[in-house]
Amino acid sequence: VHLSLEDVGLIQKHHREKLQEKLKLCNDIFFVGGEGRMFSEAEAQVAALALHLQALCEAARDGVAYLESMLWKQVVAAIGKEVSVSDMTQYMTFHNRKLYDPRYAPRPFSYDVRRAAGYAPEGTLQIEMASAGGAEPNVPARLAPRMRFALSAATSVEVRGEQMLHGFMAHRFASEGLPGVALRARARQFSSFILLVGRIAAADLFEPKHAIIIKDRDEVIIPLLMDPLPTPGEFKEAVSSLSPEQQCFAKAFRSMQLESTLFACCLVQIKPQLELLLRLPEGALTKEIELTQQLTELFVEYQVPSDLLTYAGDADASVEVKVAAVKGHVASLYGMIQKQKDKELEEERERARFAVREQAAACAAPTKYGLFGDDVDDDCLEACAEEFDIDAMATLSEMLDDGLMMKVEEEKKGVREEKVKEVVDKSDRKQKPSDAPSNDKPAETAAEEDLSQDGGEEGAGAALDYTSVPAQLDSTFERFDKHSALRPTTIKVGEVWSRSTQRSLLSSATTSSVHEDEQQKQKARAMDLLDALSRSGDLPLAACTLHVVVAATHCFEKTLMGSLVEQNINPIERMEASSLMVASTVHARPVAELVAAPQRARVEATSAELFSIKNEQ
């Protein structure tokens, strides 16, 4: 029922009359006696009016609550259910397919790990997240910056390969937390690659915080923690009353926080880099599964220098000849390692025998068992130790179990480098002069180096600076986010990972938690392998894929239904505008080009200001 202005006037007139009657009644009740009153007439009227205002506010609140409840029920009846955050996420995925031009439509972060088109993938990398939208453009080769990362305090290596810049826009409602996000990497059987996770620290510097080798059906799940920063409007308002010095400090710290929103992960494929390192033709190790595993073990477990395995023969030889030469080097090294192990075992056996002899002599056993000769067998020593209760290490077999096996495990961790060089150098001296290592680089190496130098000085001047992207997003949010709801968001790695491994083909996969100590061990192993694959930074890592992610979060003050019913906000329009701001900055394209033609008029009517965004990326 809609009341007319005349009816509203009558209601207000009736309200005034009733209020006057209430005030008169107060005077008649409290001020009849005259003298000795505890409060004045004005004070009594103020108290009465305050109680009356309280009743009016409660009635207004109840009325609004009734209207909101009625609207809530109507919305649920219209949709058929109470809409949840997950329902909203599903709808935005559907909505974005219609909103964006197919060239710029957001898509999930899910990529195959493969060396090139035509090769089968060796694994997958994906970010599992409940997001409202995103943008994942390839960075053109002419714009891709030359990135490096540190292998150690004194050594860094250059990263070559595909680079991708991703935009991620999440949403958070009042009673809901941020969406669960996890980085999942999985390798196929007989495949392997290295995953590095960190951030972009400078225009040409990737800073890996974590690294791990993923191989043979390993699966690693790394939780990612999202932390929204204050909006540009909130920051501007907070520093407005500070001194110039304080503002300068706050702005500098804000700049560091914005650059820390650049989350990055890098995939390094092992087989292509091994081919480049060992001077083998492209694709030579594709089907050499055992050889690849042996090479990886020699580099990681035994710290063997790559020069001892590199092909050093005729550059024009066939692929089979080159691979056979590398296999020969690998076999020689494994033979030498086995000899070293046998030698260590024999030394431990001799020490065990000597210990039994010494204690047996103290028990007057030499005459009975004839322990004076050098050719005493193990059975005799064990019998002597058992009869006389010799406590050398209980028995010779226990000595071998407790002492020798421990020694073998320690020896497996690394053979001293100088002994490896000594043995292999003897083998190299027997090669023909034409097979001896030289400074002349084979054709394959020259080709790879020429490829790694593409886009030199000419492209370097126009290279994309990833560290400028967060500042551009922040500026866009400040100018066009009129509701001050978009927050730059940092992405950090969680403390505990999950790892699934399968130790053998016939065993079942086992899942374990990876804590900080194990993470450090895995990083050390991965860095050792990268050091070998790059000759301690001398050789660029050519077969890499670098993913850079910049994130933002649209925060609503109330719940999803509360925003829709109580604040009369259409979340779709707000999240649509936020998604377009992120996509326009990441793609470096105007909004008019991003939006599909059938949707352009509607978006311009609801968010006309977005069409004036200018990208200077």
Side-chain angles (χ1 to χ4, degrees), residues 225-274:
L225 308 178
M226 303 182 64
D227 183 19
L229 302 175
T231 67
E234 291 173 345
F235 175 78
K236 187 176 181 180
E237 181 180 358
V239 302
S240 60
S241 59
L242 300 179
S243 67
E245 292 78 11
Q246 293 168 338
Q247 289 185 10
C248 182
F249 175 82
K251 290 177 180 178
F253 206 85
R254 169 82 171 182
S255 176
M256 182 199 69
Q257 288 179 317
L258 290 177
E259 290 192 14
S260 67
T261 62
L262 285 170
F263 174 80
C265 57
C266 182
L267 290 171
V268 181
Q269 297 188 49
I270 295 177
K271 285 183 181 179
Q273 190 64 26
L274 279 173

Side-chain angles (χ1 to χ4, degrees), residues 86 123 166 179 185 215 248 277 300 330 337 339 359-360 375 388 456 462-463 508 517 554 606:
S86 61
H166 307 264
K215 60 184 179 66
C248 182
L277 175 69
V300 176
V330 171
I337 291 172
K339 290 180 181 179
Q359 295 205 21
D375 56 348
F388 289 92
S508 301
D517 292 343
H554 190 123
T606 58

Side-chain angles (χ1 to χ4, degrees), residues 181-208:
V181 183
L183 181 67
R184 181 189 294 267
R186 184 177 185 274
R188 295 193 175 186
Q189 188 66 56
F190 305 127
S191 301
S192 59
F193 57 87
I194 303 172
L195 173 65
L196 300 103
V197 179
R199 68 184 187 95
I200 301 297
D204 61 346
L205 181 62
F206 167 54
E207 188 177 86

Side-chain angles (χ1 to χ4, degrees), residues 40 44 112 168 170 221 266 268 279 341 431 451 539 556 575 593 606:
S40 66
D112 289 331
F168 166 48
I221 301 176
C266 182
V268 181
R279 299 175 183 172
K341 290 180 179 179
Q431 294 181 354
L451 180 62
L539 186 66
F556 291 87
M575 292 160 65
E593 185 177 343
T606 58

Side-chain angles (χ1 to χ4, degrees), residues 146 158-161 276 445-456 538-542:
R146 293 193 170 186
E158 189 173 352
V159 177
R160 291 293 184 185
L276 182 62
T445 304
E448 292 290 350
E449 291 188 353
D450 290 342
L451 180 62
S452 68
Q453 310 238 344
D454 287 345
D538 183 62
L539 186 66
L541 298 175

